[in-house]
Amino acid sequence: MNLDPRVPDGPLSKKWGHFKDHCKLVNPNNKRKHKILVVGTGLAGASAAATLAELGYQVQSFCIQDSPRRAHSIAAQGGINASKNYPGDGDSVWRLFHDTIKGGDYRSREANVYRLAQISSNIIDQCVAQGVPFAREYGGGLANRSFGGAQVSRTFYAQGQTGQQLLLGAYGAMMRQVAAGQIELFPRREMLDLVVIDGKARGIVVRNLLTGEFERYGGDSVLLATGGYGNVYYLSTNGKNSNVTASWRCYKRGALFANPCYTQIHPTCIPVASKYQSKLTLMSESLRNDGRVWVPMQPGDKRNANGIPEDERDYFLESRYPSFGNLVPRDVASRNAKQMIDQDKGVGATGLAVYLDFRDAIATQGPPAIQQRYGNLFEMYQRITGENPYETPMRIYPAVHYTMGGLWVDYHLMSTVPGLFVLGEANFSDHGSNRLGASALMQGLADGYFVIPYTLGDYIAQQPLEPIGLEHGAFEEVEAMARGRTMKLLEIQGEKTVLEFHRELGQLMWNGVGMSRDRATLTQTIASIQSLRREFWQNLRVPGEPNTLNKNLEFAGRVADFMEFGELMARDALAREESCGCHFREEYQTADGEAQRNDALFSTVAAWQYQGDEQEPLLHEEKLAFEAVALSQRSYK
């Protein structure tokens, strides 16, 4: 299979403009004749649905929650990047592009990343026009703050709830089109399969989560914006509904899955408190602007944080990375925290935490200034832990947060299945092996508001898309398969619950494909997952009925897919014999413990093709070309 990224010709800075100038267009009257299915209503899905409907397309939008406002995009707290250079500190499109390429450890496609940097300023203008309440300076201008992996302040924010405010803006734009009759919204639907007819994506089969009914929907294109797969680890910062099922079904219909082992471990999460915990809570990376990360100098020191004097504190990020300090990228901060824990310098009852201390910032700036920036985050931390971060340091520890891998897409955001476009976190395209903070919101809105209107139109304008009824045999076959899988889960009637299996899988994934990996552990993890999957299909017990609301049945289907997908993640990590970004192979590190890439062999995108349930997936590679930036060992010292 030839993975053609379809990157336009010309200089890097002119590629996107060249594409827009020469792409095919759909006549405004003809747009009304085309129906587009948008799966997911987070930032990428909501912005795409709103924009396409505004252009005149018929849009059907599918939401797994009861309301689009509950999409997981609300969990992105800290901000959104844009290269406007309001502080006058030297930022530019080029610097945002370079920081993103470098932050991803040179494992992303240059053209996609440069386009993202170009579009970033337009996103801010769009959102301000929608009324998104970004923080402002005293004079009224939009405020900026710093984030990891950059030496400029380019992150726009709305206190500690930026994702929620941006989603409300996109939601409002989308619901305006719902009211106008351009969008038909279907809440509480879960996509269970993709319908491919004559080689093109032409529909989906969903399950109504309230009634249990299977429903068919057809159109001229499918846009997948279903987010990431971090819940394969069981414990993550993702909402419990976040899953891989929609992407995995598309993978089994011919869409290649790219770089699945690239999973971001976020350094500032509230530590695990109980083995019965169902998810983890993120503390925004923005806290690292004013908070200082430290551990006791001496191993095994269990004194109260405020009882440890200054000269007995190890500010390990500041001492090891003097240029960036506490604002090193997430993968670097997370690995260093793990090293402190491994040296028995962990804090708290479990020892699985480091401190994030605001003592100095409060002393120099005053509590009101800190409260204005981070008040809701401090309140959330105190409600969860019972500790007041104004008086005692926060305890934080790395946790699964974001997935850079996803379905492979070309420059047009189209997968290897024609007509199936993949947006936001569900695709692999922009972040390489490590996403910089405040870039997720940027990518989701760029894809939905500014990229897909052009690339989708270019596709539709060149395709003979004959009307296809829902009685077509392909819909019949796909629905029967989805129904059969669901009923099989109910029929097992074993002894173990879905949550028990999910916890076991999550522990295998965290131990084997977590913050660090090695050949022996990955090999064993693959075998262990296969064994657990066999037990799952023999000993799972799902209570209840299929024709009603049944959360156990929902989770069972998702965990069944996680069982298969987890193995692919481990295979991908095993095949990539280098360390890069968040993918840290213990065998491949520099003398001072940093990730050591192998550019000669692995300057590639690893894209996996489904070969059947009984066969190993087939690996394809897209060679990455770096013409604008020079490959170098990543350094933040």
Side-chain angles (χ1 to χ4, degrees):
M1 181 180 294
N2 178 32
L3 290 179
D4 180 8
R6 295 200 290 167
V7 174
D9 295 329
L12 186 64
S13 62
K14 298 185 182 299
K15 289 183 185 296
W16 180 231
H18 181 274
F19 175 82
K20 290 193 293 183
D21 288 343
H22 296 87
C23 67
K24 301 294 183 181
L25 301 176
V26 180
N27 180 288
N29 289 328
N30 288 339
K31 288 187 175 78
R32 304 189 190 108
K33 303 175 184 178
H34 293 285
K35 182 182 293 183
I36 311 301
L37 311 181
V38 182
V39 186
T41 54
L43 284 181
S47 60
T51 306
L52 294 175
E54 188 81 42
L55 289 172
Y57 292 102
Q58 302 174 50
V59 176
Q60 290 184 325
S61 175
F62 301 86
C63 173
I64 199 171
Q65 297 91 0
D66 55 351
S67 166
R69 289 174 297 176
R70 295 175 65 85
H72 188 61
S73 298
I74 64 168
Q77 303 160 334
I80 177 171
N81 288 331
S83 57
K84 281 186 170 292
N85 194 31
Y86 282 173
D89 56 359
D91 200 13
S92 64
V93 168
W94 171 264
R95 287 191 185 277
L96 176 53
F97 157 72
H98 182 270
D99 288 348
T100 305
I101 288 283
K102 177 184 175 182
D105 216 353
Y106 306 94
R107 289 296 177 260
S108 48
R109 191 187 292 146
E110 276 191 343
N112 287 66
V113 177
Y114 197 91
R115 175 176 65 188
L116 181 62
Q118 286 177 302
I119 290 172
S120 64
S121 292
N122 297 338
I123 298 171
I124 302 303
D125 296 340
Q126 169 97 353
C127 294
V128 168
Q130 290 175 335
V132 173
F134 286 119
R136 293 181 179 269
E137 304 288 0
Y138 178 76
L142 296 182
N144 289 113
R145 59 188 177 198
S146 300
F147 252 64
Q151 291 180 303
V152 298
S153 294
R154 63 162 68 100
T155 304
F156 296 77
Y157 62 97
Q159 202 180 48
Q161 50 183 266
T162 314
Q164 180 175 354
Q165 297 301 328
L166 291 172
L167 184 62
L168 287 172
Y171 168 77
M174 185 177 76
M175 295 309 292
R176 175 176 176 270
Q177 294 301 316
V178 171
Q182 286 295 113
I183 296 178
E184 194 175 2
L185 179 62
F186 296 92
R188 301 304 299 268
R189 263 72 168 188
E190 180 169 20
M191 176 180 162
L192 295 184
D193 217 330
L194 178 73
V195 179
V196 180
I197 299 174
D198 297 330
K200 300 171 187 174
R202 297 301 303 269
I204 60 175
V205 169
V206 306
R207 182 172 178 266
N208 185 318
L209 298 180
L210 292 178
T211 67
E213 293 177 290
F214 290 83
E215 301 170 353
R216 310 173 186 179
Y217 297 92
D220 297 314
S221 182
V222 176
L223 274 56
L224 200 68
T226 51
Y229 47 83
N231 276 341
V232 68
Y233 291 89
Y234 185 69
L235 284 178
S236 81
T237 66
N238 291 183
K240 291 302 290 182
N241 276 330
S242 298
N243 63 82
V244 78
T245 289
S247 293
W248 194 243
R249 295 293 150 212
C250 292
Y251 163 75
K252 289 195 168 186
R253 294 293 176 188
L256 269 58
F257 215 112
N259 298 337
C261 77
Y262 288 165
T263 305
Q264 181 161 87
I265 312 295
H266 196 294
T268 54
C269 297
I270 298 178
V272 177
S274 166
K275 68 178 182 179
Y276 297 109
Q277 205 164 324
S278 62
K279 73 177 299 295
L280 298 173
T281 302
L282 170 71
M283 289 284 99
S284 169
E285 182 176 315
S286 63
L287 294 169
R288 290 198 279 150
N289 275 284
D290 291 298
R292 302 179 69 190
V293 179
W294 65 274
V295 292
M297 195 74 72
Q298 295 300 318
D301 189 339
K302 298 303 180 183
R303 286 179 291 174
N304 179 277
N306 293 331
I308 300 177
E310 181 70 15
D311 61 355
E312 295 182 33
R313 299 182 176 193
D314 181 0
Y315 295 94
F316 55 93
L317 292 179
E318 296 174 28
S319 59
R320 187 168 183 180
Y321 305 98
S323 294
F324 284 74
N326 294 297
L327 289 174
V328 292
R330 293 172 176 178
D331 62 314
V332 177
S334 294
R335 279 199 300 276
N336 277 268
K338 180 179 184 297
Q339 289 174 9
M340 295 299 105
I341 303 302
D342 292 344
Q343 294 172 22
D344 195 28
K345 294 183 178 182
V347 303
T350 65
L352 295 175
V354 300
Y355 287 128
L356 181 63
D357 195 343
F358 290 84
R359 181 194 64 179
D360 295 344
I362 291 172
T364 57
Q365 302 174 44
I370 300 303
Q371 194 279 334
Q372 183 180 25
R373 291 190 196 123
Y374 314 116
N376 63 315
L377 298 172
F378 277 41
E379 180 183 353
M380 181 170 65
Y381 181 87
Q382 185 168 5
R383 286 185 177 184
I384 292 173
T385 66
E387 300 171 4
N388 185 349
Y390 291 100
E391 299 174 356
T392 188
M394 288 183 178
R395 290 174 295 106
I396 59 168
Y397 192 65
V400 174
H401 175 58
Y402 188 90
T403 53
M404 285 74 64
L407 293 182
W408 184 91
V409 293
D410 60 20
Y411 188 77
H412 299 221
L413 302 185
M414 190 161 74
S415 72
T416 46
V417 176
L420 174 64
F421 293 82
V422 190
L423 285 65
E425 190 178 357
N427 75 34
F428 88 99
S429 65
D430 290 12
H431 306 299
S433 58
N434 175 63
R435 178 177 68 76
L436 291 184
S439 289
L441 303 180
M442 178 172 60
Q443 185 208 353
L445 291 180
D447 287 355
Y449 282 140
F450 297 105
V451 178
I452 199 63
Y454 288 96
T455 59
L456 176 67
D458 182 71
Y459 168 77
I460 288 177
Q462 301 183 65
Q463 300 299 319
L465 295 166
E466 299 296 328
I468 294 176
L470 298 180
E471 70 283 352
H472 190 285
F475 281 94
E476 188 79 32
E477 179 183 353
V478 171
E479 181 184 331
M481 293 178 67
R483 191 184 299 274
R485 282 194 302 270
T486 302
M487 294 306 299
K488 185 177 179 181
L489 292 166
L490 286 165
E491 292 166 358
I492 299 171
Q493 292 297 298
E495 300 294 332
K496 289 174 66 173
T497 67
V498 174
L499 290 183
E500 287 178 289
F501 278 110
H502 198 177
R503 282 196 193 99
E504 288 185 43
L505 174 64
Q507 198 62 54
L508 287 174
M509 295 299 298
W510 180 249
N511 292 339
V513 203
M515 271 193 282
S516 63
R517 301 96 186 256
D518 63 72
R519 171 172 288 277
T521 306
L522 286 166
T523 303
Q524 180 57 52
T525 299
I526 293 171
S528 297
I529 292 174
Q530 291 173 339
S531 176
L532 185 64
R533 186 166 67 244
R534 286 191 293 270
E535 183 189 356
F536 176 88
W537 287 106
Q538 295 170 359
N539 198 31
L540 172 70
R541 184 175 184 84
V542 179
E545 301 295 329
N547 56 345
T548 185
L549 176 66
N550 187 336
K551 295 301 292 185
N552 285 287
L553 182 56
E554 289 177 39
F555 287 138
R558 296 167 196 168
V559 172
D561 290 330
F562 278 144
M563 290 281 183
E564 298 178 1
F565 176 68
E567 181 180 338
L568 181 66
M569 288 180 66
R571 287 188 182 278
D572 187 46
L574 184 61
R576 186 169 285 276
E577 295 191 344
E578 65 166 354
S579 290
C580 58
C582 71
H583 169 64
F584 193 78
R585 284 282 297 268
E586 294 286 350
E587 306 98 319
Y588 307 104
Q589 53 183 299
T590 63
D592 56 352
E594 303 292 348
Q596 188 171 54
R597 301 192 317 269
N598 184 339
D599 294 330
L601 295 180
F602 294 103
S603 188
T604 60
V605 176
W608 296 87
Q609 181 182 6
Y610 176 67
Q611 296 281 91
D613 289 342
E614 304 303 321
Q615 293 180 275
E616 293 185 4
L618 181 63
L619 175 61
H620 301 275
E621 294 181 339
E622 176 197 340
K623 299 291 184 183
L624 293 171
F626 293 93
E627 302 170 359
V629 294
L631 291 167
S632 62
Q633 174 65 39
R634 202 169 48 140
S635 174
Y636 293 94
K637 295 185 177 181

